[in-house]
Each structure stands twice: as structure tokens, then as C-alpha cells.
């Protein structure tokens, strides 16, 4: 998935994108958000290295608001509404984040948000403290702010207009805020009209002077599938009873004869004081109003659920009752330390530690938790209430994450990865299909390919097997073979008959999709082999190489073919970068896609004319500015030099350079959309010196580690080894690998299998 | 209140109108809808005389749908939407009824409706059966219809487009419908977007293939007080599980950049199949879809509540579970017979029996029931849940009903009248003020004057005393004396200082309002006297005559005065009829108001120059077409001839003529808006030969009875007598009274006190 810099590219967007949203926590649906295995390891104070502002500019679309590990809730400052924020204003352009660092005008704090995605959605359940006269129009009550602090599980600022200090923290399913008001009249607004999503409608009811309940409709992610919209339920509790309360409603502007009769209020805001029944509408809100004789702090706690108001209330109570803001902040911080400590790094620059732990933090946000503390969650599409034993994860931006994020989870958080696979199988049970881009129990069907099976195969082949592999295999075969009404593999008929999609099959990405299906078929083949299904292994192995039909040796690149088998002509391989429409490629061009054959680099080399031709062509991608660090198709390219003996230095040099150029301890310190942690996972792996270069094949390419010592604490439930260390010693500043030793034995290879990695106690790099 | 014939008069409307909506039933909040005292009397089959089509044309604004006595629910055919119904189409003009007899295009059946009111509201929770492809646009799925039958508690028609027979009936809080579908695909739609109200928004959720729940927002009656809107909750149960179900939502039409991205569905209808969570919006609905192999009947039961969905479900269960459609229809019919049998008529024309019982039926619709079977009801304005022991009545269109309807209730249904007064006192407890025009726990503040106290005094002085008279008196004094922020008596300061409102006090009805305050003050005086508050008696008696300041002997009419005490000039007393704006008078002119001094006709006579001048002036009203039978200010005029000895024949002649001219056994058989039964109460009294000519004074004017025998079964809980009979013998066709005898003793008076009436066994009229 990708940076959305310009609003003109959105046609193609309807078939793409990439997220993932915090779901870790209670594998057994209990209140403790920590998986058991995490507690086996010594916890270090490493959360301090996380800088949540990284990715809040340059379309990183992360936000600095507190979130628990894979939390459902994230209390983000919301500063993308209002002309003051132009050009990064949500209604004037495609904008997919509730917060942009360079913006200055804040209109509240949204409680459910996506992190690192490319389509606007969520960004709702927005609270805002104000003082003085009640004002319900966010453009009027919005404020500049200062004194911003963001740490793991904590955000604070001061609203300049009102001199209110805001502090926020979060549990898995609740957001907590304290508003420190000056003396005088104060208001806490809960604005259901404002939001990042373009979906409309909500319901709100003031239950008492200390409680508001309701829901906000969200969905139609990427402005696609408008029937896939759904409510986010909430219960808000206030630590002090309001002196006054009420609701507001912005009336539609009627036309025709009725407008004559209702002119007193046509299109106006109606405030209903002390009203206690439900209000509904597209632009509604509720307020609590106070009269303070002295500076006073009010705490607002908001519980969220995708099942019901009742569950939102239960989530809030189970996770926060009896606890102070400070206790919860510390618990959330502790939880993050427990997770982040699974990888310890020593030596290296302090800045690199910030980059590393912030990246790791970003990989632990999505996929996120969908189920409530009682285990209930909504069924796909129809949203009937179901119950899960483990965590039901959501926000599966799989076109992005199949490439590296799940490989990181399998290595470091295998219990989470197992539950993610189980969640995918729940989705299969509920909808009949594995997920493609699942979001809160809707299948958004954005982006292309059939990525879930790749992840499942990769997970299983890495030894994580505590899920129903027969069902998973059945699901993978279904999407691979079902020609009619197949939501995962449109164009499958042509793919099976011709080996590729044509420019008639789709006007959007015939080559890219062929490649994706090849990779998915390769994954099935690998799994078939493991499961002893020899025939399937052969069938899918063969299918996985059909990309060769699209290799045009005239360009030494892939090239779209027409329905009659002729090449698309004229052909300009550069076209397609930066979202310019390209018949053959999705979010990229021939340069950015041709090497995306991770399972058959050997075959590709042969097609290109051997090692040298391959190297030259690959190097051209970088030399001619065709490489796009901000999108997924080519993100494994830097590691492909390892496939040519003697050229591995190019991988090391390129990766080092990309890390330095695109990953920074600044708001623009991500290459672009984080793509629910995919860009961050790239950095985590790269900085450790290993990269999972071939999905569904348990192998890592090696590159230069950034730290003198990396300790990965492995989960003994899944792996026999306790810890794996990667050490390095630098002799010059070039940071190129001179020698590799595994457990003191020289290792003459720039790839290492997952099995060997796990059997190694220490991998040592001597650098020159 | 009045007929709204033209949409140009609506400025003045914001201060007027008149309803009342079915609330009888369980005085003890039990399921049995019959008050105890009703069961004391022999029940006759008189409901057969009711023709519910009377009032469904000529802006009578009644409807032919079934309703229980003072029911909350009324299942009315809804035929006022769509161009096919022009000119009587709800969005093209001011239209305040869900049904018009001459219209032909039906778009469903609405379950909560007002009867005989002048402002559009309610007309929501609309169901519609269709066949074939699912269509959710009412303009597309609407149908012509035939075979209309309407009886008490029953309505039926055939939808021509679909060949579906529809039958409906109702309990107090539930509507029942059976849809007889032909073989094939069938749909039952529940359209929350369509309605008579101009308020917007609703919520709907499909609970199971046999149940839908939700609410619809209504209110802002008369397009006034937009903060007085509120939800009507419902639960709909279907006798057969749907084969498919779903919800729909008409999306707003977005503009700007977003419209580019969402063009596939911008402004379109979205159907969400098998969706089970809440949807909200201004234009939403739910459907149940069936596949029938043979003609099949489906029953739909809808329970309503103004408190909660839970209560709507409880109402439905308590009132309908275990009963068939036919049983409920018979129970409702029986209940009506029990109520209507309280007055028996014999002799006379069959048509007159139809006119009489239909009129009595119309007086038993509003005020109607607000509380649920468990006694819960919403508090005024804030709508917190309260509980009542007796019935909490609602729809108090008091400017209309204080003149005769409550007098009829006091005489024939004193237990109901007592509970209506208690409901007014509950409203006072909850809001601090007695009602003026209360509708479902909102004070609409339409129309003028301070009518509640008049009704309370009238009720008490008739011997119905089982309510807290001290509280009532306190409430009456409050609205009579509180100068600041008095919602009932705006302009009170001028009224107290000058004796009248001026053209500066209000630009709408300074004379009318002065008269209304005089009448209200007279009522306080009468009650004060009864309670031994001599000082108040004198003070308010004096206040009640201040209209004299506005009597201009130049015209022998009332005339508005300016702030400086001068007459409004130039002055054309005829101006103001038919809603033409008139500074001095509301919904009328000087002719229609001058005689509205029911408590001081003697004084008025004197002002006019004696009996002869009074008679001449009063007769001019009729002779010069200034009399308006369709509005309340002058409806007692015909009885005022009784005040002049020897001229009583004019009353008889005029009343006879008006009954013949304006009351008919045809859809246009009401003079205009029924005004929640006020016009009908006029007919009921007039046809019995008695009319309560002076509110808050227990006296009736006598006129020609329409029947040979009228038997009123009195309530022994309140009155010592069992029955009162009014008999008459006709000798010629003139129908003028020759002689009156009470219990065989000649009675030389054309007025009879309430006390004497109750002490009489028989009043006999000999007619010539």
C-alpha cells in the first residue's frame, strides 16, 4: 500500500490499499492484555525509545495518540478538519489519518482510528473540552495547541484557546482522558458528526449526568462497497456529574414549501437541553457542562465495542474500574515494554534504537483486537454476534503484510501469529472466503491478489501449527480453483487458461495480478508438499511460474498481453509510477514489478539472460529512480542482489542507504503510508540483519545489522530455543559484511533458513 | 382549530392548532382496556353505526384506520405521498393527515397518527407489502387500491398492483395487519424514511427473521419548537420467518471532491442483505422477503412505545400474545361498543345514528394513551422515564377541547375526564406549567390562551373531584399571575395593567388573547368561589370582564387597541376570516370573536344596546356569512339566541341547519379539521339537545334533539343517577321546540344546570 499524495489517483485506489489495527491482548479474552509467553522474558524499559510522532507527516498516517498493544481504541488528537489545516484538510483532499504533525488546528480527540493506512475511515467518537459559552460547531470551537508530548501510552497537549491541559491514555478497548479546566464554565463535547470516515449517521443518548452512550456508523473504506458499513458502539463515563447536559443536532437544510414553514430552524443547529432519549442523525452530539469555582480536572473514560453498547460498557468496566488514569497509563506502558522487550538491541546509535523500537511499536498496532472482553465479536458482513476463545484479530491489510509483517510475528510473537491465522479461518468460516483486506468484520476487497494463503503457508512452514491446517488448505484451494463469483481471484479463468490475465480481463493490473496469483500458488505448492499432497504440489508449482508468459525479452521486463496473446503496444515501462494509470500494473510500473517473483528468482535470472543481465537490470531500478520505497511490490528488491554470489554488498549498501534516507527520528521518518506496519516491519528486519525475502519459504536474506547486539527472545511454546543473538562488529564506516559466523563457525551464505536461524544461538557479522 | 386549506397562512399557524390522540384504556395500567364503570352498563351493538370515512375529506383529517378507544396506535392507510395524489400531496402543501379519501396512490400503512389535527406530525412506522423484485422507493412501490372497507377496529383493501389483500386492526398500543400474498416472491417493507412529520431520523435493527425493532424521530409539530422532537419506539413481529431480510439506506448526495471517489453510490440507495446491526439515517428501512409456493398470509404485529424498545416489545406481548387477528379485532370492537353504548339513541333517521356514533367515536380518539402497559411514560421535554398509576393521557389540544369535548367527557366518561385532569397535573409537576397544546410529552405551545384551568374548573364544578384541587388551583394561579417567562400567558403584563393586550403586545391576536384570558380568569373565579377563596373570586371575576375595554360601540364589535389606548385604524371588521392576517384576532375576525364572551353574555348584551341590538348583531353573523362552523371561536354562537327570551327558536333553527349542512355520512361530513373531536363533540351534544354553552359554569343550553330517545348511562362512581333520558316527539317537520317537561313537569327555560340534569330522569321535548 501506498502514500496518497494526490487526489487524482483514486480510481486505481479502489483496488488497493493496506492497514492492520491493534488486536493483541487477551488471547483468552480476559482482561490481562498480555499473552502468557511474553511474561517468560525479562522486561526492559525500552518503550522510552518509541517516538509516536514518527510517521505523522509525509503521509505515514500513524498518529501520536496512546494505544495499547493491538488495542481497539486509540485516543488520537484530531487536527485534520477546518480551513486552518489546509492543504492537509480531510474534506479538501484524500486524507487517511486523524492527525498530521504540521497541522495546527485541533477539533478534538478521536477514539477509534486506523494507523498507517491509505484510505480514510474511522477517526470517530470525538471528544473536545472547551470553556465558556457552549459552541457545537467544530470549526468554531477548534483550537490551536501547544506543549505536545507523546510517549508510549500517553499523549498530552494544551489547548491554547481555552488553557485546558489534556492528557490521554488507553487500555485495549477504552480511552481515558483528563481535562484540566481553569475556573469558570466548562464543556465536554462528544461530537458524532465529525469524523475521518465518509460514512454518515450515529446515535447518542445521555444516560445520566455522568454517562453518554451511542454509536457511530463507519465503513465504506476507500469509498468502496457502501453496503459494508457498520456501527462502532461506545459508552462514555465522566468522573464528575455535569451541572447541565444536552444534545445537539444540525438540521438538514430543507427546500420547497416546507422551508417556508420551518425557516426559524431550517438548516440550523438545535440544542436540546437535559434531553434523555436517543437522537440520531448525520451531525449530532452531546455535551456535559460544568460550572467550576476553581480549576478542576475531569476524567472521561470511553469504552468501545463493535458488538453492542452493553459490551462497550462491560469493556470499560472490566478494563478500567477501580483504576486511576495514572495506573492505567503505567499498565499500558508496562505492557508495551513486555512486548517490545522481546527484541533487545545493544550498541549502535541512540537514534537507531528510536527508529527500531518505533518501527517495532508500529508492527504491534495492527492487526488489532475486534472482540470484546467477553469474547463477543461481529460476524463478517451480517454482524450477528459470535464468540471467540482467543483473540479475533481485525484490520488485515494482507496485500501489504504478507510480505514481511507476519513473518516478523511468526518469529517474535508466534502466539499472536497463530491467533491471526485462526482469525483468518474464522473469517473463512463466516464468509466462505479467506480475507483479502478485512476491516472490522467487513471485507473491503481493496487491493489485489490472494494473500491470506501465503501467510498461512508461511506460518505453518515455520512450525506454527496449532490451527486447523486442513480447513486452511481447503480455503486456499477454494480461492485458487473456484472460477465463478470468486472475490479473491477475479480473472481466474484467464489465469488458468492462458497463465495470465490480459488487458481485457482487467483494465487495472493484469501483470501485477498474475504475479500475485503466482506467489499465492507457490505458497499452496509449498504447503501441499509439506502435507504430502504431491499432485497439488506439482500442479501449483507449475501454475506459480506462469508469469514467464509475460516476460518480454525486448525490454527484459514484464509486459501486459492482450486478449489475443499479443503484447500491449506501444509500451512505455516507466508509466505507472506515482499512481499514473497503467493497464498492466497496480500502484507501480514494470520496473517496480518485474522482480516481484520472490519464489523464482533463478527462473527470472535465466529469462533475463543470466546473472549479469539480472544484476544490471536490478541495479537500473535504483540508479534510474524507479525504486519506490513507499510501496510494497518492490520492497524486497534490495535483498535480491544476494541471489548473485559476490554481489551481496549491493544489498547491504542499498539497505543501509534506504534505512538512512527513509527512516528517521522525525515526523516524516517513514517512507510513506506505514501500511499497517509493513514499512516498519521492513525496518525492523533490515536493522536486525535478516529479511524474509521469499513468502511461504522459510528463509531470510542477510544484510548488515544496525546494532552490535540483537537479542530475540523466542517463545518456548513454539520454539525450542530461548534466545537468538545477532552480533556484529564494525571495523570501518562502510558497514559492509566481511564475514559471517554461526555459533563461531564461518557461514558462507547470504541466506539462512528459518530452521537454522532457530537452531543458532549466535549469528555474528564482522563488518568492514 | 382549523382547516388548513392553503399553505400561505402558516405564519399565524405557529401559534395555533388542535389535536388529541387515543389514550383511554387501562386506567390502572393493565392490559384490559376497559374502565370499570363502563362495564356497569348494558352493551349494545352500536359500533356498526360508525363510519370511519367521515372526516377523511374536506380537511377533516380523521383517518379510516383501526384504533382502540384512546389508543396509542392507529393503523392508517397512507396515501398522501407521490405526485399521483396531487393536489393533496404531503410535500407540496400543508397537509396534516396520513389519508385523504379522494387520493388514490397508497404507499403503506402508518402506525402512529394524529386524528383531526391541523399540523402535520407523526404518520410514521410505515409498513407496505409488495411482490416481485425488492423495491425500496415508495414512489416506485406505491399502488392503487380497491375494495376499501373501514369499520370500527378494522380496515381492509386490496393493493391492485400486487393483488395483495390487506386487513388491519389494533389494540391500545399495537397494530396488527394481515397481508394475503399471491404465490411467488413477496416483500414486507418497513419504511422509516417516509412519514407525515417533517422531523427526520430513525434507527432500525433486524433482530431475527421474524422481528424488527427501532425508532423514528417525530415532533416539531407545526414546524415549531424544533427542540421538541422525540423518538417513537417500535417492535415489529412477523408471523412467518423471512426467507431473506435486509435493510436499506438512501445515501446523501455528497458534493465536492468526495463525490468523485464515491460516485458509484453517491446519493444512491444501499441495500444491506442479512445485516443484523442498527442502521440510522433520515431515509432508511428494513424488509422481510418471502418465496411462496402458494398464496400465503403473513401477519405483522407492531408494538409502540414512547419510552423504549423494551416497552414496545412488552406492550406488544401483553396486548397480543396468544391472540389471533380475529380475536383482537373482536375485542377492539367489543371495547368500542362498551364505550359507545354509554349513550343509546332510538328513533330518528339511520343516517343520524351514523352521524351521532361516528361523532362520539371521534371524541374517544384523543386525548389518547401515552403510557405503556407497565405504566411508564416519558417526562415532559427531558423524557426521563416516569411511572403513572392511572392513564397518562396526551394530545391535549386544549384551545379546541375546552369548549365542549371535556364537558362531554365529564358527563359521559367522568373517570376518563378525571384522569385527563390528573394528566394535566402530572404535566404541571413535570414542567412547572399546565399544558396548552401538549403532544406526546412535548408542549407545542401552539394556539393561544390558558385553557387547562378552564377545563379543571369545569370538571371540579361538575362534581368530579378525585384529583388534587389545591395543586390545580396553585397551577392556575401561577399562569394567571406570573408575569415573567410565562409560556401560557404571553402579554400578561399589558393584560393586567391595561385589561387587554395591544397591537404592540402582539402582532397576532391581541383581542382574541384578551378574550381567552378573560374566560380563563372567569374559570378561576368560579373555582375560587367554590373553594371559599372570596378574594380571588372577586379579583378574577373583575379581571374576566376586561374585554369591555375593547368593545367599540361604533361597530358594536370588539376592536384592537394600540399601545396608547387608541383604536386600531382604519378598521375593517371582516378582515381575518379564512386566515387572512388580522392584528387583533387569531384564526378569525371581529364577527367570529365578539360573541365569544360565554361568561358574560348579559354584559355583552348591555354593551351592544340591549336584547334587540344583540339579536340583530348575532343574526348578522349568520346572515352575512361571517359564521365559521369549521373553527372554535364562534361554535357556541348558535346557542346564544337562548339568552333572549322568545328567540330560542333561532338557536334550534340554526343548529338544525348546521347539523344538516356540515355533518354528513360522507367523507366530507365534518365542517373541517375535527380538532381532536371538538367538532364531533359539537354534533354529539347538539344532536342530544343540550350544549355546554359556558365553560367552567355547569350549565347547558337546550336545543332540538335529533332522536326520539337518548339514554345516557351515567357513571355511578361519580353520579347518583343511573340513567338520564332525553325524549322528543315530533309533530311537524320544523323541528322546533314547543314544550319542555322534566320528569313530566313543564320546564320554562332553555338552559339547564348540570345538577338539575343529573337529578332528572327524563327530559321531554315536544316539537312542532
Amino acid at each position: 500500500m501506498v502514500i496518497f499524495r494526490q487526489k487524482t489517483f483514486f480510481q486505481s485506489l479502489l483496488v488497493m490499499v493496506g492497514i492492520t489495527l491493534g488486536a493483541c491482548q487477551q488471547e483468552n479474552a480476559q482482561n490481562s492484555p498480555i499473552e502468557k509467553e511474553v511474561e517468560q522474558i525479562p522486561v526492559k524499559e525500552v518503550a522510552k525509545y518509541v517516538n509516536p510522532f514518527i510517521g505523522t507527516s509525509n503521509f505515514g498516517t500513524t498518529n501520536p495518540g496512546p494505544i495499547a498493544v493491538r488495542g481497539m481504541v486509540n485516543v488520537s488528537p484530531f487536527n485534520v478538519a477546518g480551513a486552518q489545516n489546509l492543504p492537509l484538510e480531510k474534506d479538501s483532499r484524500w486524507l487517511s489519518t486523524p492527525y498530521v504533525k504540521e497541522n495546527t488546528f485541533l477539533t478534538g480527540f478521536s477514539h477509534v482510528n486506523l494507523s498507517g493506512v491509505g484510505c480514510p475511515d474511522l477517526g470517530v467518537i470525538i471528544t473536545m473540552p472547551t470553556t465558556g459559552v457552549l459552541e457545537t460547531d467544530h470549526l468554531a470551537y477548534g483550537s490551536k495547541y501547544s506543549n505536545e508530548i507523546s510517549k508510549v501510552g500517553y499523549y498530552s497537549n494544551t489547548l491554547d484557546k481555552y488553557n485546558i491541559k489534556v492528557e490521554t491514555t488507553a487500555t485495549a478497548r477504552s480511552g481515558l482522558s483528563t481535562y484540566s479546566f481553569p475556573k469558570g464554565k466548562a464543556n465536554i463535547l462528544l461530537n458524532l458528526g465529525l469524523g475521518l470516515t465518509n460514512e454518515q449517521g450515529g446515535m447518542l443518548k445521555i444516560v445520566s449526568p455522568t454517562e453518554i452512550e451511542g454509536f457511530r456508523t463507519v465503513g465504506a473504506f476507500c469509498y468502496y462497497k457502501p453496503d459494508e458499513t457498520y456501527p462502532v458502539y461506545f459508552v462514555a463515563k465522566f468522573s464528575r456529574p455535569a451541572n447541565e447536559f444536552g444534545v445537539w443536532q444540525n438540521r438538514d437544510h430543507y427546500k420547497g414549501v416546507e422551508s417556508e414553514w420551518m425557516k426559524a430552524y431550517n438548516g440550523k443547529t438545535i440544542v436540546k437541553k437535559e434531553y434523555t432519549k436517543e437522537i440520531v442523525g448525520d451531525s449530532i452530539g452531546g455535551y456535559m457542562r460544568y460550572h467550576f469555582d476553581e480549576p478542576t480536572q475531569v476524567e472521561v473514560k470511553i469504552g468501545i465495542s463493535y458488538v453492542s453498547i452493553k459490551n462497550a460498557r462491560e469493556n470499560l468496566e472490566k478494563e478500567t474500574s477501580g483504576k486511576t488514569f495514572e495506573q492505567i497509563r503505567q499498565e499500558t506502558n508496562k505492557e508495551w515494554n513486555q512486548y517490545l522487550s522481546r527484541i533487545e538491541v545493544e550498541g549502535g546509535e541512540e537514534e537507531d534504537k528510536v527508529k527500531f523500537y518505533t518501527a517495532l511499536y508500529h508492527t504491534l498496532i495492527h492487526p488489532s483486537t475486534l472482540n470484546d472482553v467477553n469474547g463477543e465479536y461481529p460476524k463478517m458482513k451480517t454482524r450477528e454476534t459470535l464468540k471467540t476463545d482467543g483473540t479475533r484479530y481485525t484490520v488485515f491489510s494482507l496485500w501489504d503484510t504478507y510480505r514481511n509483517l507476519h513473518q516478523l510475528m511468526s518469529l517474535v510473537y508466534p502466539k499472536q501469529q497463530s491467533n491471526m491465522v485462526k482469525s483468518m479461518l474464522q473469517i473463512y468460516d463466516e464468509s466462505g472466503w479467506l480475507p483479502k483486506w478485512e476491516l472490522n468484520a467487513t471485507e473491503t476487497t481493496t487491493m489485489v491478489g490472494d494473500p491470506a494463503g501465503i501467510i498461512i503457508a508461511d506460518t505453518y512452514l515455520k512450525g506454527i501449527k496449532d490451527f486447523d491446517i486442513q480447513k486452511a488448505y481447503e480455503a486456499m484451494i477454494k480461492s485458487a480453483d473456484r472460477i465463478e463469483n470468486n472475490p479473491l481471484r477475479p480473472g481466474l479463468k484467464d489465469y488458468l487458461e492462458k497463465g495470465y490475465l490480459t488487458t481485457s480481463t482487467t483494465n487495472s493490473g493484469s501483470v501485477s495480478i498474475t504475479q500475485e496469483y503466482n506467489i499465492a500458488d507457490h505458497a499452496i505448492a509449498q504447503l501441499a508438499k509439506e502435507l504430502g499432497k504431491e499432485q497439488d504440489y506439482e500442479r501449483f508449482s507449475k501454475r506459480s511460474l506462469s508469469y514467464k508468459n509475460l516476460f518480454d525479452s525486448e525490454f527484459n521486463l514484464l509486459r501486459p498481453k492482450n486478449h489475443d496473446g499479443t503484447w500491449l503496444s506501444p509500451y512505455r515501462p516507466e508509466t505507472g509510477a506515482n499512481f499514473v494509470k497503467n493497464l498492466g500494473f497496480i500502484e507501480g510500473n514494470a520496473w517496480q514489478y518485474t522482480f516481484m517473483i520472490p519464489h523464482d528468482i533463478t527462473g527470472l535470472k535465466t529469462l533475463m539472460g543470466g546473472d549479469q543481465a539480472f544484476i544490471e537490470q536490478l541495479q537500473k531500478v535504483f540508479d534510474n529512480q524507479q525504486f519506490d520505497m513507499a510501496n510494497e511490490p518492490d520492497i524486497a528488491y534490495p535483498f535480491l542482489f544476494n541471489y548473485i554470489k559476490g554481489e551481496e554488498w549491493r544489498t547491504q549498501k542499498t539497505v543501509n542507504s534506504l534505512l538512512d534516507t527513509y527512516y528517521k527520528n522525525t515526523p516524516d521518518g517513514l517512507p510513506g503510508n506505514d501500511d499497517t506496519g509493513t514499512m516498519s516491519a521492513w525496518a525492523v528486519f533490515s536493522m536486525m540483519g535478516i529479511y524474509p525475502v521469499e513468502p511461504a519459504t522459510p528463509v531470510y536474506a542477510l544484510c548488515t545489522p544496525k546494532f552490535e547486539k540483537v537479542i530475540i527472545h523466542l517463545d518456548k511454546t513454539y520454539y525450542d530455543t530461548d534466545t537468538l543473538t545477532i552480533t556484529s562488529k564494525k571495523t570501518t564506516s562502510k558497514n559492509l559484511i566481511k564475514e559471517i559466523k554461526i555459533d563461531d563457525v564461518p557461514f558462507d551464505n547470504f541466506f539462512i533458513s528459518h530452521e537454522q536461524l532457530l537452531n543458532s544461538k549466535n549469528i555474528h557479522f564482522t563488518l568492514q
Side-chain angles (χ1 to χ4, degrees), chain A residues 105 107 128-143 161-162 185-191 247-248 250 269 271 285-289:
Chain A
F105 184 71
T107 54
M128 176 77 179
T130 68
T131 62
V133 171
L134 177 71
E135 171 58 66
T136 63
D137 176 1
H138 64 275
L139 299 177
Y141 68 62
S143 172
K161 187 171 176 179
Y162 306 111
K185 299 287 170 71
N187 312 291
I188 302 175
L189 313 173
L190 202 165
N191 189 338
V247 298
W248 77 82
N250 294 320
T269 298
V271 174
Y287 66 87
M288 296 291 186
R289 186 162 162 81

Side-chain angles (χ1 to χ4, degrees), chain A residues 165-410:
Chain A
K165 181 179 181 185
V166 177
E167 296 175 279
T168 67
T169 186
T171 68
R173 300 171 184 88
S174 308
L176 286 84
S177 304
T178 61
Y179 304 134
S180 299
F181 292 103
K183 174 181 165 180
K185 299 287 170 71
N187 312 291
I188 302 175
L189 313 173
L190 202 165
N191 189 338
L192 289 193
L194 185 61
L196 188 61
T197 179
N198 99 311
E199 183 48 34
Q200 55 200 24
M203 189 278 277
L204 180 146
K205 177 179 168 180
I206 299 189
V207 180
S208 77
T210 58
E211 188 169 325
I212 303 178
E213 65 179 30
F215 63 81
R216 174 59 149 85
T217 314
V218 294
F221 186 67
C222 301
Y223 301 91
Y224 193 55
K225 290 180 100 177
D227 56 330
E228 292 273 23
T229 61
Y230 53 93
V232 188
Y233 303 92
F234 69 88
V235 168
K237 293 198 178 186
F238 300 78
S239 63
R240 297 176 69 96
N243 298 107
E244 305 168 45
F245 62 81
V247 298
W248 77 82
Q249 187 174 19
N250 294 320
R251 302 275 317 205
D252 282 354
H253 195 92
Y254 275 65
K255 288 169 185 164
V257 289
E258 285 181 306
S259 65
E260 295 172 29
W261 311 326
M262 60 196 292
K263 61 179 145 194
Y265 61 95
N266 195 7
K268 296 281 168 50
T269 298
I270 305 300
V271 174
K272 301 170 80 165
K273 293 180 182 174
E274 313 304 306
Y275 187 74
T276 61
K277 287 281 184 269
E278 295 88 345
I279 56 162
V280 293
D282 293 343
S283 188
I284 58 173
Y287 66 87
M288 296 291 186
R289 186 162 162 81
Y290 299 89
H291 314 160
F292 293 134
D293 293 335
E294 56 186 355
T296 305
Q297 195 176 76
V298 181
E299 183 182 293
V300 182
K301 304 194 290 190
I302 299 188
I304 296 289
S305 166
Y306 287 93
V307 171
S308 65
I309 288 171
K310 182 170 163 285
N311 279 11
R313 187 174 285 110
E314 185 183 348
N315 288 344
L316 183 62
E317 279 167 12
K318 289 268 170 65
E319 293 185 350
T320 71
S321 68
K323 293 177 184 172
T324 65
F325 179 95
E326 191 51 33
Q327 282 174 316
I328 284 170
R329 176 190 168 175
Q330 283 173 17
E331 283 181 11
T332 299
N333 189 267
K334 182 181 170 197
E335 178 200 1
W336 275 108
N337 274 316
Q338 287 171 314
Y339 273 83
L340 297 171
S341 294
R342 294 292 295 269
I343 308 180
E344 288 180 66
V345 296
E346 295 174 11
E349 307 284 330
E350 284 295 287
E351 286 288 276
D352 282 338
K353 288 185 182 171
V354 172
K355 287 159 61 172
F356 180 81
Y357 280 111
T358 304
L360 189 57
Y361 169 82
H362 284 146
T363 68
L364 290 163
I365 290 175
H366 296 305
S368 41
T369 307
L370 179 65
N371 61 288
D372 295 319
V373 290
N374 62 12
E376 292 182 347
Y377 70 98
K379 183 179 171 182
M380 289 294 288
K381 197 169 177 81
T382 69
R383 306 195 83 75
E384 288 155 75
T385 301
L386 299 178
K387 198 157 184 170
T388 185
D389 288 333
T391 298
R392 161 63 159 91
Y393 286 106
T394 185
V395 191
F396 284 108
S397 180
L398 301 180
W399 181 86
D400 298 309
T401 59
Y402 87 79
R403 299 165 203 270
N404 60 26
L405 185 130
H406 291 284
Q407 288 82 340
L408 181 64
M409 296 306 114
S410 289

Side-chain angles (χ1 to χ4, degrees), chain A residues 497-726:
Chain A
E497 287 175 2
K498 301 173 190 289
Y500 53 87
L501 281 67
T502 73
T503 54
S504 302
T505 322
T506 174
N507 63 3
S508 187
S510 57
V511 180
S512 303
I513 296 170
T514 302
Q515 292 177 270
E516 294 289 352
Y517 293 172
N518 273 195
I519 297 170
D521 286 346
H522 167 73
I524 295 174
Q526 299 309 301
L527 184 57
K529 189 175 172 190
E530 174 75 9
L531 298 177
K533 298 172 191 288
E534 194 58 34
Q535 242 177 339
D536 279 356
Y537 168 66
E538 285 180 13
R539 182 159 75 94
F540 285 97
S541 291
K542 189 174 168 211
R543 279 171 54 158
S544 77
L545 301 178
S546 70
Y547 77 93
K548 294 184 179 181
N549 293 296
L550 298 176
F551 189 84
D552 181 5
S553 48
E554 180 189 342
F555 291 91
N556 248 357
L557 291 172
L558 296 178
R559 180 174 180 179
K561 271 190 175 166
N562 299 317
H563 186 67
D564 61 2
T566 58
W567 292 117
L568 174 69
S569 290
Y571 184 49
R572 294 194 59 249
E574 284 73 26
T575 306
N578 290 320
F579 288 103
V580 175
K581 177 83 177 171
N582 179 319
L583 264 183
F585 303 95
I586 292 277
E587 293 192 355
N589 65 17
W591 290 100
Q592 289 152 11
Y593 265 97
T594 291
F595 296 87
M596 193 188 84
I597 312 290
H599 57 294
D600 190 39
I601 295 297
T602 307
L604 183 65
K605 279 195 295 190
T606 305
L607 286 175
M608 287 188 171
D611 287 0
Q612 195 52 39
F614 176 86
I615 284 287
E616 280 173 22
Q617 191 78 330
L618 182 58
Q619 189 62 50
K620 268 190 206 164
V621 176
F622 295 96
D623 295 346
N624 298 342
Q625 284 76 51
Q626 292 301 322
F627 181 70
D628 184 357
M629 183 68 241
N631 210 6
E632 278 68 11
D634 60 6
I635 52 171
Y637 280 23
F639 303 96
L640 300 185
F641 295 111
N642 275 12
Y643 283 94
I644 312 296
K645 202 78 194 167
E647 301 292 341
E648 300 90 349
W649 64 271
R650 293 183 195 258
T651 286
Q652 299 151 35
K653 187 182 165 199
T654 308
V655 171
N656 289 345
S657 164
L658 291 170
L659 277 173
D660 289 346
T661 306
Y662 291 105
Y663 293 87
K664 292 169 289 192
N665 180 18
T666 49
D668 64 349
L670 281 178
N673 281 180
D674 195 31
D675 293 343
T676 70
T678 304
M679 289 299 152
S680 289
W682 191 95
V684 170
F685 270 124
S686 297
M687 292 177 90
M688 293 197 295
I690 60 176
Y691 192 88
V693 77
E694 187 183 346
T697 300
V699 67
Y700 303 87
L702 299 177
C703 59
T704 316
K706 270 285 181 186
F707 304 99
E708 287 175 17
K709 189 172 188 181
V710 176
I711 306 169
I712 302 175
H713 296 278
L714 296 169
D715 183 343
K716 285 169 73 179
T717 315
Y718 291 87
Y719 300 127
D720 297 332
T721 324
D722 269 32
T723 52
L724 162 69
T725 62
I726 300 168

Side-chain angles (χ1 to χ4, degrees), chain A residues 23-28 32-40 69-70 335 338-339 342 364 391 393 412-420 715 718:
Chain A
C24 139
Q25 339 301 77
Q26 27 287 59
E27 298 301 322
N28 297 306
S32 162
I34 304 301
E35 295 173 23
K36 271 186 201 156
E37 83 268 30
V38 176
E39 298 181 11
Q40 301 164 352
V69 178
R70 305 209 180 281
E335 178 200 1
Q338 287 171 314
Y339 273 83
R342 294 292 295 269
L364 290 163
T391 298
Y393 286 106
V412 189
Y413 310 99
K415 177 77 178 164
Q416 286 195 351
Q417 177 59 21
S418 168
N419 271 306
M420 289 175 194
D715 183 343
Y718 291 87

